[in-house]
Amino acid sequence: MSQRRAFLKIGVNTKSLARCKLLALAFLCVLLIMPNFQAANSDPLSIPAEAPVRDLRPHLQYHFDPTGKLTLSQMQTKAAEEFQTVETREPTFLHTKDTIWLRLPIKNSAASEIQRILLIETNFMYEIEVILERSSDNEILLFQDRNSRFSTRPIPHPNLVTRFSMEADEIATLWVRYRSQGDTALPIKIETEPSFLNFTHANTAKYFIFYAVIIVFLSMSVIAFAQHRSFKFLAYFLYASSVLVYVMHRDGFTFQYFWPNAPGFNNFASLPLACGITFFAALFTRTYLETRQKYPLADLILQVIMIAAFLMVGAVIFVNESDLKLYTYYYVAASSFTFLAIGIGAWSREGRRVLYFILGWFGIVVSSVIVTGYALIGYDIPRSATLDFIRFAMVFDASMMGMAVLDGINIIRRERDA
């Protein structure tokens, strides 16, 4: 009986061993199949002969480097499964201190050599390098860091732009290594010469229409201040000016024309410019609503917001710049909601005089929610769309604030006449 039990145990162990062998064989087959599956996802992006390529999905892949020390040769030896596909229309990784590697296999599907422009729709990056890996060698197309002056760019453009060429039927790989101290969104497009010129001309027209509108408001505020000597017009002028400079900075024109030899400051400038808008917005709110005389508590809150603007900029001595820019999103959004809330409170007591003020800040609050959500949550919308919405909201806000001031003067005149 004991021998039979021993035999049954051996049988069970033999069956278990056979099952293990089958499982091992199946696992080995999966391993053999996996590389083929990844290779299918890594098919090169076909570049047409005449048209631009503005959607790189699903060919664009990314990899995080927390150390920031990986080299191109080390990245080239990494297995395909160590990369992940960029699923959004534009690469964006919220706020991260890691170095980001992007890989894009490309193929010239034309029957002859092609010339292309690589357009990266951002005005500045703390550190960025673009390399074209060929079968014969590696070509550095672009290298910029926090010490690179504007004159070092391959193409003098507000965005980061460079050229590359490919032979007929050539297969290559575009590598982008970058690190940001703020927004990590990196819209990449492959343009032809004509499409790039059309893009540049259309954007320039859009930019200068916005600038012209803001300059009109600035001119009107100067004329009104000269006629009426009211500090409200001066506060409005300072607020609209801060908006103009901030948007010009986001568009890349401040680095191109104002401080082209100060890349370090340009990398930092978005922080004081954003805080400057908030400071002058609080100043205008105090002046227009006369909070010092009418709403002491609201006036105290506005003073705190103004002091906080200086503290946010000065905190760069103690706080990492990347973290500080992240906190600025919360500061600006919270301040916008506060201005709107104070305006609604004043409207409940004063009525029509504050209506335009509320409308203007409502537009800013909506814009702030979209921009903050894009930066902190990662909405899958083009970066250019968020900037366009900022411009529209700023123009709307500036026009409403101007209407508010003019309407306030008309009300005072009518009361005086009565």
Side-chain angles (χ1 to χ4, degrees), residues 87-271:
E87 297 180 353
T88 53
R89 71 187 71 192
E90 297 174 351
T92 179
F93 308 99
L94 307 183
H95 279 252
T96 176
K97 300 176 184 178
D98 295 349
T99 297
I100 302 168
W101 282 85
L102 301 176
R103 182 176 70 175
L104 179 66
I106 55 177
K107 178 182 179 180
N108 176 15
S109 58
S112 59
E113 181 185 4
I114 59 171
Q115 302 282 339
R116 288 294 181 268
I117 292 179
L118 186 69
L119 170 63
I120 301 176
E121 286 189 85
T122 186
N123 57 29
F124 190 85
M125 190 57 65
Y126 182 77
E127 188 175 310
I128 186 169
E129 185 176 12
V130 181
I131 306 168
L132 183 62
E133 177 194 349
R134 304 178 186 272
S135 57
S136 56
D137 62 353
N138 298 322
E139 180 184 358
I140 298 177
L141 302 179
L142 174 71
F143 178 81
Q144 296 280 289
D145 60 15
R146 62 185 182 278
N147 299 316
S148 299
R149 299 182 178 184
F150 186 85
S151 58
T152 63
R153 297 189 174 187
I155 298 177
H157 193 273
N159 293 324
L160 296 173
V161 183
T162 186
R163 285 185 172 89
F164 69 95
S165 61
M166 295 183 68
E167 299 292 336
D169 296 322
E170 181 183 3
I171 297 177
T173 302
L174 273 171
W175 294 88
V176 180
R177 179 186 62 83
Y178 74 102
R179 184 158 65 99
S180 174
Q181 286 192 325
D183 188 8
T184 58
L186 200 73
I188 301 175
K189 298 176 181 178
I190 300 175
E191 301 282 345
T192 63
E193 291 280 352
S195 69
F196 175 70
L197 290 176
N198 291 336
F199 167 84
T200 301
H201 293 160
N203 272 8
T204 302
K206 177 176 62 177
Y207 298 155
F208 282 95
I209 288 174
F210 167 78
Y211 301 153
V213 171
I214 295 297
I215 289 173
V216 168
F217 287 127
L218 290 175
S219 302
M220 291 173 60
S221 64
V222 171
I223 295 172
F225 178 74
Q227 290 181 345
H228 300 280
R229 298 295 178 180
S230 173
F231 185 72
K232 293 179 183 180
F233 295 106
L234 181 59
Y236 175 78
F237 175 84
L238 294 173
Y239 168 65
S241 298
S242 65
V243 169
L244 177 63
V245 176
Y246 176 78
V247 176
M248 289 184 68
H249 175 70
R250 293 294 299 265
D251 292 336
F253 291 111
T254 54
F255 187 42
Q256 184 174 8
Y257 297 111
F258 292 178
W259 47 76
N261 297 322
F265 173 74
N266 188 71
N267 181 64
F268 173 70
S270 60
L271 175 64

